[in-house]
Amino acid sequence: MSLRERLTTIQHSQPQVSAPGEGVDSASYQALRAELHAQLLDRIDLEVMGRMSSDRLREELRILVERLIGEAGAALNASERKQIVVDIQNEIMGLGPIEPLLADPSVSDILVNTYKQVYVERAGRLEATPIRFDSDEHLMKVIDKIVSRVGRRVDESSPMVDARLPDGSRVNAIIPPLAIDGPLLSIRRFAVVPLKMDDLIRHRSLTPNLALLLGGMVKAKLNILISGGTGTGKTTLLNVLSSFIPPSERIVTIEDAAELQLQQPHVVRLETRPPNIEGKGEVTQRSLVRNSLRMRPDRIIVGEVRGAETLDMLQAMNTGHEGSMATVHANTPRDALTRIENMLGMAGLQLPQKAMRQQIASALTAVIQIARLSDGKRKVVSLSEITGLEGDIITMQDIFVYRQSGVDASGNVLGRFQATGVRPKFLERLAVFGVKLPDDMFDPNRVYD
């Protein structure tokens, strides 16, 4: 039985909106759309709708909306009728006004600054859009739809929430009273088709030689820390590097909001849980890292270390879980190690500074630093090897660096990738695992733009 045949028998009045005519203004259009949407919700059976395929539901909605437009007697032209049908389909089946942005592969971030203002990021640059929500209540409905899908909530008692979309995109919402001007929504997009190393090479985020070395480091089970600022692409790079893990290994991923898109067949995904309304039931990353050690993992991947779980992660790396990886917010490799040291202190253990640094130096093999440059492009700006401890200082050496030389007339950053000439100590381990590298890979005279 079709959706139209399951309409309720309630009698409906005509929508009280003026016929907008050929030059329909925005206010009249929004009022008509809101009224049609309300009438549609009155007439459809939501339980039946939930059992339909998306294609069939979209077609049924189109037919019903066009019938309601006819009943309303609204004088809309063909393009306006088509647009209002699409808008209402997006309201029912998707995330309303921002649904077209989610379908646009060029959009990497969607930033909703209250219902009146929506920005997007394309090619590393922010730009305003003409998209608007009808009201704060309209925006709140979309936020509730997102967070309820992953079993989370947002209200005055819990006005901040992290969630994710079905494609893995990261979502953050914050509402009044913390957001003074109205609800705020931030969506960090994830590509429907995960990026591969060849994509990073094509975008000049790194060089073919560096890509070969990084892939070899993952295959050789080196413990790697990816460091970078907000929006630099740490999770994307982590996802790309994880593709080099052999399919025979068991991988456990631990994240605040699950967004990694690993392609191996044996992947176990764990996600933290916030406290409930009584402040109970929270499950932290540290609890998940500890539990993962009992799950017989070959490798542990932590989406981002930000607290006491750092201690358990380093201990896992030191006790047989080689090849584990994590990301951390930091602007330089040295800052990344300092942050790791500070987070070890959050674990509550009164360890001497030298003991903490010894733990870090023995657990981590390399730090990959990634940055977003002033032109919006993301690049791996350094690969640094951790070589040990001298006195109380963790020693490091740069293997590859990106040297910025200036900016052209169009604002594009000029620079080049270059090996430092230092041959890393972990080359012997790569050879043991059968990783072969070109003889001239570490020649400092080889330069890539």
Side-chain angles (χ1 to χ4, degrees):
M1 185 179 293
S2 72
L3 184 63
R4 301 190 305 280
E5 293 170 337
R6 297 179 184 269
L7 300 179
T8 63
T9 57
I10 301 174
Q11 296 297 318
H12 301 278
S13 60
Q14 296 290 335
Q16 300 299 312
V17 295
S18 57
E22 286 290 316
V24 60
D25 61 79
S26 178
S28 298
Y29 176 85
Q30 300 290 351
L32 176 61
R33 187 189 68 185
E35 182 64 27
L36 291 175
H37 184 204
Q39 283 209 10
L40 185 65
L41 291 178
D42 283 341
R43 294 196 181 192
I44 61 177
D45 185 329
L46 295 177
E47 184 177 348
V48 173
M49 184 183 75
R51 294 198 296 264
M52 287 186 174
S53 67
S54 59
D55 291 340
R56 183 185 175 195
L57 176 57
R58 190 170 291 276
E59 177 62 18
E60 295 284 0
L61 289 174
R62 181 190 66 79
I63 294 171
L64 186 52
V65 171
E66 289 181 347
R67 175 188 294 178
L68 290 174
I69 292 174
E71 293 177 4
L76 301 176
N77 61 33
S79 63
E80 291 163 353
R81 291 173 73 93
K82 182 178 180 181
Q83 185 59 50
I84 205 167
V85 167
V86 171
D87 286 350
I88 293 179
Q89 287 172 333
N90 289 339
E91 288 290 340
I92 299 292
M93 301 178 62
L95 300 181
I98 61 174
E99 192 66 26
L101 300 179
L102 293 170
D104 185 348
S106 68
V107 173
S108 55
D109 288 343
I110 302 171
L111 308 173
V112 182
N113 304 335
T114 74
Y115 77 94
K116 303 176 183 177
Q117 192 179 61
V118 178
Y119 278 81
V120 298
E121 181 186 280
R122 286 189 175 94
R125 297 181 183 272
L126 290 176
E127 57 185 66
T129 73
I131 292 173
R132 303 290 183 271
F133 288 81
D134 296 338
S135 62
D136 284 339
E137 292 73 20
H138 184 201
L139 176 53
M140 278 301 303
K141 287 180 181 178
V142 171
I143 293 174
D144 284 333
K145 182 183 289 189
I146 294 172
V147 301
S148 63
R149 287 175 177 172
V150 293
R152 302 197 175 184
R153 62 182 180 82
V154 60
D155 50 39
E156 286 191 4
S157 64
S158 180
M160 295 185 294
V161 66
D162 288 316
R164 67 180 185 278
L165 298 180
D167 65 357
S169 297
R170 183 188 311 170
V171 178
N172 175 267
I174 182 167
I175 67 171
L178 300 187
I180 297 173
D181 299 320
L184 306 174
L185 177 66
S186 304
I187 300 177
R188 306 288 303 279
R189 294 290 309 284
F190 246 51
V192 176
V193 179
L195 291 178
K196 299 185 182 299
M197 188 63 84
D198 289 343
D199 298 314
L200 299 187
I201 294 173
R202 187 173 65 254
H203 295 149
R204 296 187 176 182
S205 296
L206 41 65
T207 66
N209 269 357
L210 182 53
L212 185 62
L213 179 59
L214 294 180
M217 291 166 61
V218 175
K219 293 175 184 176
K221 292 189 172 184
L222 301 184
N223 296 323
I224 298 172
L225 182 67
I226 299 173
S227 167
T230 300
T232 54
K234 298 185 298 298
T235 304
T236 298
L237 181 59
L238 179 60
N239 212 53
V240 170
L241 292 183
S242 68
S243 66
F244 291 96
I245 299 175
S248 59
E249 296 187 17
R250 176 175 168 87
I251 309 166
V252 177
T253 68
I254 300 168
E255 303 171 85
D256 270 336
E259 52 188 331
L260 289 172
Q261 298 171 298
L262 274 63
Q263 305 302 306
Q264 287 83 352
H266 201 165
V267 177
V268 179
R269 305 170 72 206
L270 305 180
E271 184 180 57
T272 61
R273 185 176 70 183
N276 60 20
I277 195 169
E278 290 87 17
K280 300 178 181 178
E282 180 181 15
V283 179
T284 64
Q285 280 202 140
R286 185 175 192 184
S287 298
L288 294 179
V289 172
R290 285 178 168 178
N291 189 78
S292 70
L293 300 178
R294 306 182 185 101
M295 299 172 66
R296 199 262 175 220
D298 289 307
R299 305 195 194 213
I300 299 172
I301 297 179
V302 182
E304 180 185 338
V305 289
R306 60 183 71 187
E309 70 276 1
T310 305
L311 174 63
D312 302 278
M313 182 197 71
L314 293 179
Q315 287 179 336
M317 290 178 171
N318 275 322
T319 55
H321 302 286
E322 297 175 318
S324 296
M325 294 183 282
T327 73
V328 66
H329 270 85
N331 293 322
T332 67
R334 181 61 62 180
D335 287 347
L337 298 186
T338 301
R339 282 213 66 206
I340 293 293
E341 184 179 333
N342 291 337
M343 288 186 284
L344 282 178
M346 297 169 64
L349 296 180
Q350 301 300 319
L351 292 176
Q353 185 181 68
K354 185 172 183 178
M356 289 193 292
R357 293 180 177 178
Q358 179 65 50
Q359 182 95 329
I360 296 169
S362 60
L364 297 173
T365 305
V367 180
I368 303 170
Q369 185 69 38
I370 188 168
R372 181 167 63 174
L373 306 183
S374 59
D375 59 359
K377 295 184 176 64
R378 296 165 172 86
K379 293 186 184 294
V380 174
V381 294
S382 71
L383 168 61
S384 304
E385 180 186 22
I386 298 174
T387 56
L389 202 66
E390 289 186 4
D392 290 341
I393 305 300
I394 298 174
T395 55
M396 305 174 69
Q397 57 184 11
D398 289 338
I399 309 301
F400 279 91
V401 294
Y402 177 79
R403 305 188 190 279
Q404 184 174 337
S405 58
V407 179
D408 66 15
S410 302
N412 296 312
V413 171
L414 302 176
R416 59 186 188 178
F417 293 95
Q418 186 176 22
T420 61
V422 176
R423 297 179 67 84
K425 294 183 178 181
F426 56 72
L427 283 183
E428 291 183 8
R429 184 176 177 91
L430 267 62
V432 169
F433 279 81
V435 177
K436 297 181 179 180
L437 301 174
D439 294 335
D440 61 350
M441 170 171 284
F442 304 104
D443 183 357
N445 296 317
R446 294 195 63 180
V447 175
Y448 297 85
D449 293 327

